[in-house]
Amino acid sequence: EVQLVESGGGLVQPGGSLRLSCAASGFTFSSYWMSWVRQAPGKGLEWVANIKQDGSEKYYVDSVKGRFTISRDNAKNSLYLQMNSLRAEDTAVYYCAREHYGDFPPFDIWGQGTMVTVSS
Amino acid sequence: SYVLTQPPSVSVAPGKTARITCGGNNIGSKSVHWYQQKPGQAPVLVIYYDSDRPSGIPERFSGSNSGNTATLTISRVEAGDEADYYCQVWDSRVGFGGGTKLTVL
C-alpha cells in the first residue's frame, strides 16, 4: 500500500524549533519530488516547500524562507522539515505529499498530517 | 503571486449537479488540479490536469478549464460528497484556492 506517515508535531514556544518527519512506503521514494503542505486551523491549504528527487533543488514559500529547511534521506525513505524560529502563524497541520510525475503535477498521495502548535 | 478565487460555499440537493468554480487570470492556460477534503482528513486528489480522474474516483466527478475559470462538476450529488474542495495550480510556486464548502441539502 502506498503510504505517507508524518510524525514529530507538538506544542512548541514561539522562537522554538521542531523537526517533522514523513515515512514513505509502497513506492519508490527516490523517484519523486516531495512537498510539505500546511493547513492552519479552520483555514485553507498552503504549500510550504518541496525537494527534488536527489535533494539538489529545494523551494520554499516566502514566509518560511530562512527559517525552515526541507531535506530527505532516500536510503531511509524519509522526508523531513526542520522548523526554526517558529511563530504563532506557523500553527497548522503539516502534511507531506507526493508530487505526481510530469510538468506542473498534482499531489497524488498525502499523509494524515501532524499538528504543530506554536504557543507560550 | 497568482490568485485563485473560489466561492466560499455551494449548496446542492441530493441527486442534483454541483459546480464549483476556480477563477484566475487566464487560468485556461494552466493545469488545474482539484482536491476533496472531509473534516479531520487529508486532502484527496479528485481531478488532475483539468479533467483527468484518478483511479477510484467516481465518474460523477469531472472537470473543465477555459478562459478565466476552471470548474469542478459533481453529478448526481450524494451525501458523502459533502466536503471542502480546493483547486490548485503551479505558477512561480504552488498555489491553492481558498476552498469551497459543498453542502448537500
Side-chain angles (χ1 to χ4, degrees):
Chain A
E1 179 189 5
V2 175
Q3 197 172 9
L4 296 170
V5 179
E6 302 93 336
S7 60
L11 175 63
V12 61
Q13 292 187 341
S17 297
L18 213 54
R19 188 195 196 208
L20 306 183
S21 299
C22 171
S25 59
F27 65 98
T28 306
F29 178 73
S30 59
S31 296
Y32 292 86
W33 281 77
M34 297 294 296
S35 274
W36 288 98
V37 177
R38 68 184 177 183
Q39 186 172 35
K43 303 297 184 181
L45 301 171
E46 180 184 36
W47 174 81
V48 174
N50 68 349
I51 185 169
K52 194 177 179 179
Q53 290 93 330
D54 62 358
S56 61
E57 295 182 35
K58 305 174 185 181
Y59 300 95
Y60 301 90
V61 68
D62 286 348
S63 60
V64 308
K65 282 180 183 176
R67 301 189 300 123
F68 289 12
T69 301
I70 189 171
S71 62
R72 64 192 297 163
D73 185 336
N74 288 338
K76 295 183 177 180
N77 290 331
S78 292
L79 176 72
Y80 305 102
L81 186 67
Q82 177 66 44
M83 304 186 296
N84 299 330
S85 302
L86 282 161
R87 307 166 179 168
E89 54 265 35
D90 296 318
T91 294
V93 174
Y94 284 73
Y95 297 100
C96 67
R98 188 181 81 171
E99 297 180 20
H100 190 62
Y101 287 125
D103 295 334
F104 313 117
F107 301 108
D108 62 349
I109 304 295
W110 297 66
Q112 86 288 351
T114 187
M115 182 70 203
V116 172
T117 302
V118 183
S119 175
S120 55
Chain B
S1 62
Y2 189 79
V3 176
L4 294 170
T5 302
Q6 296 183 237
S9 62
V10 168
S11 298
V12 63
K16 299 300 185 182
T17 298
R19 294 179 179 83
I20 298 172
T21 59
C22 177
N25 185 31
N26 197 26
I27 196 173
S29 67
K30 300 182 180 296
S31 293
V32 179
H33 314 302
W34 290 92
Y35 304 88
Q36 175 194 68
Q37 186 180 34
K38 296 182 179 179
Q41 297 184 19
V44 172
L45 179 68
V46 293
I47 292 290
Y48 64 106
Y49 291 121
D50 297 341
S51 58
D52 290 338
R53 203 172 43 251
S55 60
I57 301 301
E59 292 184 6
R60 302 184 295 104
F61 288 80
S62 62
S64 63
N65 184 19
S66 179
N68 293 317
T69 305
T71 303
L72 172 69
T73 301
I74 309 172
S75 304
R76 302 180 299 282
V77 166
E78 302 173 356
D81 298 331
E82 190 162 281
D84 294 329
Y85 292 84
Y86 295 90
C87 58
Q88 179 247 314
V89 302
W90 288 81
D91 189 55
S92 54
R93 295 290 181 261
V94 174
F96 288 96
T100 298
K101 180 176 181 57
L102 176 67
T103 299
V104 181
L105 300 171

